[in-house]
Amino acid sequence: MVEIRRHYFLKRYCILASMRAKRPQDFAGERERIRTSSKDCPFCMGNENMTPPETAVYRLNKEHEWDLRCFENLYPALSPPDGYHEVIVDTASHDRSPADFTDEEMHLLVDVYRERFDTYARKDTIAYVSLFKNYGKAAGASIYHSHTQLIAVPIMPPELDTERNVIKQLDHCPYCSIVEKESGSSRVIIEDREWLAFAPFYSETPFEVWIVPKSHINNLTYMDSKQTTSLSMILRDVLKRLKTVLDDPPYNYHFLQTIGENYHLNIRILPRLSIKAGFELNTGIYILTVPPEDAAGFLSGGAKDRQSYISP
Ligand SMILES: [Zn+2]
Ligand SMILES: [Zn+2]
């Protein structure tokens, strides 16, 4: 059976091709993450001279030299005053990534995301702050050591601009409606009082995950301490489950948020398991080989669903 699904509120479509349905193990091997030696790694402790000077460092305790380190990208996409391009080294550890983080490490990472966003959002010339992570070569990470990037730009990105214009025509926030609709649904992966992580009804890639706060906040700076703690646990746990279920896949995650303008913050995690091929490029319509409900079944750890899915 083939099903055409429309995006929650945009004129975008995906085709659910369940005839070609894939199981998590079908994606094994479609990845390349080449471990480099930590001796030559510019993001490892002791090699700080291989990067531009730091813009900020963060510590989990006083004895540590640093646990997170930020600096301008050596090859910035934009330079001041037009824009800023910062690298956030997520951890001093060469081989660990957020999926492996302790509660404290993940909390610090989310705190740093909020603070770095705020630092650049305050600048007069900046219209948008893009915060994103590339993990694995297929997701665009040129350096193995786990890191996040921030690019502050003087223009509003067209994708978000289109979304804003559609939202302005509505009499309600579509993300608040999504939370209402998806909470408790078969697409939920993890949910608590503050946040909802789910496989969206309309997805562009297998195992796509959205993480949306249940309250209507424009950006990370509006999070209270409960929301911050909850986000750090949920983001870490979703990444951990993706790593387990899909055997450490390459992925991107990114934050959609505005500076001082009414919007509903949301986070997208996109495992890089498929490529945009001719049909996608030609039509902008995505063919989805894993139904979001099945992806949620695997990622929410639903043992029963998993059993029935794997057994023919
Ligand atoms: Zn390293
Ligand atoms: Zn909202």
Side-chain angles (χ1 to χ4, degrees):
M1 195 192 77
V2 167
E3 184 187 338
I4 298 177
R5 289 188 174 186
R6 195 185 149 158
H7 183 284
Y8 294 99
F9 60 96
L10 298 174
K11 219 171 180 178
R12 288 195 187 168
Y13 302 91
C14 68
I15 297 174
L16 221 64
S18 40
M19 297 288 283
R20 306 159 139 217
K22 287 190 172 187
R23 296 166 297 178
Q25 53 268 46
D26 295 333
F27 295 105
E30 291 178 17
R31 57 180 80 353
E32 189 180 14
R33 187 161 179 260
I34 297 166
R35 187 184 187 279
T36 53
S37 130
S38 91
K39 196 166 60 82
D40 313 312
C41 173
F43 295 172
C44 267
M45 200 171 277
N47 292 345
E48 291 83 355
N49 61 354
M50 291 168 77
T51 71
E54 58 232 14
T55 43
V57 293
Y58 300 88
R59 297 175 179 87
L60 279 169
N61 75 55
K62 284 199 296 257
E63 280 91 68
H64 291 184
E65 206 169 309
W66 56 268
D67 290 290
L68 266 105
R69 189 169 171 269
C70 308
F71 46 86
E72 191 191 0
N73 194 303
L74 190 56
Y75 306 104
L78 283 167
S79 295
D82 302 319
Y84 301 84
H85 188 170
E86 189 172 277
V87 175
I88 301 167
V89 176
D90 304 329
T91 166
S93 162
H94 187 60
D95 287 306
R96 292 165 69 249
S97 71
D100 318 305
F101 279 9
T102 61
D103 292 358
E104 292 70 30
E105 287 173 305
M106 198 63 199
H107 201 291
L108 179 64
L109 182 63
V110 170
D111 277 339
V112 170
Y113 283 170
R114 184 183 52 218
E115 193 179 310
R116 302 320 291 163
F117 170 84
D118 193 34
T119 300
Y120 292 99
R122 286 171 186 275
K123 298 192 186 288
D124 291 340
T125 51
I126 297 309
Y128 183 74
V129 177
S130 172
L131 182 62
F132 60 94
K133 180 173 182 64
N134 303 335
Y135 177 85
K137 207 173 165 198
S142 51
I143 291 179
Y144 168 84
H145 192 130
S146 181
H147 60 286
T148 306
Q149 295 184 64
L150 179 154
I151 302 183
V153 292
I155 43 170
M156 175 58 80
E159 288 250 337
L160 185 59
D161 196 40
T162 304
E163 210 183 277
R164 280 193 322 165
N165 290 330
V166 171
I167 293 174
K168 276 182 196 155
Q169 309 299 317
L170 303 172
D171 58 1
H172 60 278
C173 165
Y175 288 99
C176 285
S177 305
I178 291 170
V179 167
E180 212 171 290
K181 180 185 154 110
E182 296 293 5
S183 175
S185 80
S186 58
R187 287 176 287 274
V188 171
I189 298 163
I190 309 176
E191 171 169 21
D192 68 8
R193 291 163 80 105
E194 315 295 338
W195 292 84
L196 178 67
F198 61 101
F201 174 80
Y202 161 92
S203 292
E204 296 187 353
T205 187
F207 292 89
E208 178 169 341
V209 179
W210 290 12
I211 305 180
V212 183
K214 290 192 172 176
S215 63
H216 183 91
I217 52 172
N218 300 343
N219 63 48
L220 290 172
T221 65
Y222 290 86
M223 287 192 301
D224 62 20
S225 69
K226 265 190 184 164
Q227 286 170 312
T228 308
T229 305
S230 162
L231 173 60
S232 60
M233 298 303 104
I234 287 185
L235 179 56
R236 192 265 321 271
D237 287 351
V238 169
L239 295 171
K240 190 188 262 185
R241 290 174 193 195
L242 284 168
K243 185 175 181 176
T244 307
V245 170
L246 294 166
D247 187 24
D248 201 15
Y251 65 80
N252 301 100
Y253 65 67
H254 63 100
F255 293 73
L256 282 167
Q257 50 189 337
T258 54
I259 301 170
E261 186 188 319
N262 185 27
Y263 185 63
H264 195 130
L265 162 70
N266 62 96
I267 303 160
R268 315 274 176 99
I269 307 176
L270 299 148
R272 299 297 288 262
L273 303 168
S274 58
I275 55 158
K276 273 193 196 180
F279 180 70
E280 282 84 0
L281 292 170
N282 183 242
T283 61
I285 300 170
Y286 292 84
I287 297 176
L288 204 59
T289 53
V290 179
E293 294 72 21
D294 290 0
F298 288 112
L299 296 174
S300 62
K304 211 171 121 225
D305 295 346
R306 185 186 220 129
Q307 199 55 44
S308 65
Y309 201 74
I310 289 172
S311 323

